[in-house]
Amino acid sequence: MTLGLYMAQRISALIMAPLVLLHIGVMIYAIQGGLSAAEILGRTKGSILWFAVYGTFVAAVSVHGAIGLRTVLSEWMGLRGGTLNAAAWAIFALLLVLGMLAVHGVTAR
Amino acid sequence: MANETHMSVSVWRGDAVGSFQPFEVKVEDNQTVLDVVAWIQQYADPTLSYRYACRVGMCGSCAMMVNGTPRWTCRTHVKKVLVDGHMQIAPLRNLPVIKDLATDMDPFFDKWVAAEGVHHPTLTRNDPIEALDPAAEARVESAAGIECINCSVCYAACDTVANNPDFLGPAALQRAWSVYNDSKNADKQAVLDAVSGVGGCHNCHSQGSCAVHCPNALNPMNAIAGLKRETARNFFKRRS
């Protein structure tokens, strides 16, 4: 864990924190009085705002999670150097691709 | 067998590979763990290897694992650690074992150097001595760590060191924090750079075993938190 990785993990956490609160807040607010999947998609499809919110969320999660799991792989499984960095990049790419597919699924027209 | 007059002591024999050897030692009214080890070496088995120097908690030579806990053995009373008349003595954790209870301290001291815990003078020997204000905020931070006796108890207690051999460890980072806050230190950036690498202060998980086990009640975890704070601040400063 270098200073660069430490800062990337802290900054991604700072981005995630308000987005998590927004995510949970909107969920609780929106389901009052019942809400169907069709009604949700009706609001998110074609919305640049929701794409920006969840796109940023996914990017921050990918950075944050990959660095955290990098530490776990290093300390618990003894991975070092190139192998460790390759594993972290793979986790980052996996989280980003899966997350962006989901964002695309709910916001693309 | 352990009874009121004798205790049973298991002592590590060997290096990385070895086993515990049992000894019977007479219980005295006032007796430290180091006294027990010395008695075994003098009267039971002269081939036992161990390390000590001052016997009064100043030199930091005699630290060992006692019942799995790192302790300064010269200041640890036997009565405090005996469990049902028994105790186990092993070499310090997280360091290579040379023989029996003597560990190779080189990795520990190499990391002190790597953490840049060395003096970078602001003056030459020809200048007058600079006065220090003992109450200044930076001086108080610096002074908090200077009673370290380099015993490696914190290094042996640290789970992050155990899982990450690159980690500089609590003692070296605490030294770096003391030097960083010293007004007579001319190169703060050298210290911040030294603790920002692969094995640097950012690996610390703040578990606090160093602060719990430090025989001088120092708090290396607090020093490491200070280094994290200053390096983070500096991260943006250097880029602007």
Side-chain angles (χ1 to χ4, degrees):
Chain A
M1 176 77 88
T2 59
L3 174 61
L5 287 170
Y6 175 85
M7 292 308 290
Q9 200 178 26
R10 264 60 188 178
I11 291 167
S12 59
L14 280 175
I15 295 169
M16 270 157 56
L19 293 176
V20 167
L21 293 176
L22 179 76
H23 174 69
I24 294 170
V26 170
M27 255 168 44
I28 293 168
Y29 168 74
I31 58 159
Q32 306 294 320
L35 191 67
S36 69
E39 282 172 316
I40 294 172
L41 289 173
R43 286 171 172 83
T44 57
K45 290 264 184 197
S47 164
I48 291 170
L49 177 70
W50 286 121
F51 175 82
V53 166
Y54 281 104
T56 310
F57 200 168
V58 164
V61 165
S62 306
V63 171
H64 193 82
I67 297 172
L69 286 171
R70 183 184 181 279
T71 302
V72 174
L73 288 173
S74 165
E75 291 192 8
W76 285 17
M77 296 180 67
L79 296 193
R80 290 279 182 277
T83 319
L84 178 62
N85 285 328
W89 278 113
I91 293 163
F92 169 75
L94 182 72
L95 289 172
L96 193 68
V97 167
L98 289 177
M100 289 316 269
L101 281 175
V103 173
H104 180 264
V106 292
T107 59
R109 248 186 236 281
Chain B
M1 288 301 291
N3 53 46
E4 282 176 11
T5 59
H6 287 76
M7 65 183 116
S8 76
V9 185
S10 300
V11 180
W12 181 258
R13 304 306 303 271
D15 41 47
V17 183
S19 59
F20 285 96
Q21 184 181 352
F23 291 95
E24 287 295 306
V25 181
K26 189 168 177 284
V27 175
E28 307 283 356
D29 285 340
N30 287 305
Q31 194 174 26
T32 65
V33 173
L34 184 62
D35 290 337
V36 169
V37 174
W39 187 91
I40 292 171
Q41 200 264 343
Q42 283 177 30
Y43 298 104
D45 187 345
T47 67
L48 176 67
S49 298
Y50 68 108
R51 187 186 289 126
Y52 80 99
C54 77
R55 298 177 295 170
V56 289
M58 288 175 71
C59 75
S61 306
C62 69
M64 300 168 197
M65 303 299 286
V66 181
N67 293 340
T69 301
R71 291 182 180 280
W72 53 356
T73 56
C74 70
R75 297 288 300 271
T76 301
H77 278 261
V78 165
K79 282 176 184 157
K80 189 178 169 184
V81 291
L82 272 189
V83 179
D84 298 329
H86 178 81
M87 73 172 157
Q88 185 194 68
I89 307 175
L92 274 180
R93 183 178 173 234
N94 294 340
L95 288 166
V97 181
I98 298 171
K99 180 176 173 284
D100 303 338
L101 302 172
T103 52
D104 179 2
M105 304 280 281
D106 275 357
F108 175 70
F109 289 117
D110 286 346
K111 287 175 177 179
W112 275 63
V113 178
E116 201 63 28
V118 294
H119 185 50
H120 314 93
T122 50
L123 302 172
T124 71
R125 64 177 65 227
N126 302 315
D127 296 305
I129 294 172
E130 179 190 337
L132 285 178
D133 175 11
E137 197 182 332
R139 187 62 220 168
V140 172
E141 278 290 336
S142 190
I146 60 175
E147 293 297 333
C148 174
I149 58 170
N150 318 352
C151 65
S152 200
V153 160
C154 60
Y155 192 81
C158 179
D159 285 345
T160 307
V161 172
N163 293 323
N164 179 0
D166 294 330
F167 182 43
L168 294 170
L173 290 169
Q174 178 171 252
R175 180 67 186 171
W177 182 237
S178 280
V179 169
Y180 177 82
N181 283 297
D182 186 351
S183 62
K184 294 185 176 182
N185 171 47
D187 199 351
K188 284 178 174 250
Q189 193 56 50
V191 176
L192 293 186
D193 288 344
V195 301
S196 296
V198 172
C201 63
H202 307 96
N203 290 283
C204 170
H205 295 301
S206 306
Q207 288 175 312
S209 298
C210 52
V212 168
H213 294 287
C214 176
N216 271 339
L218 306 182
N219 191 343
M221 184 176 69
N222 193 49
I224 294 171
L227 287 172
K228 285 178 179 172
R229 202 167 54 237
E230 288 305 309
T231 50
R233 236 177 238 162
N234 199 253
F235 183 77
F236 294 109
K237 228 183 264 173
R238 289 198 102 187
R239 270 160 182 72
S240 57

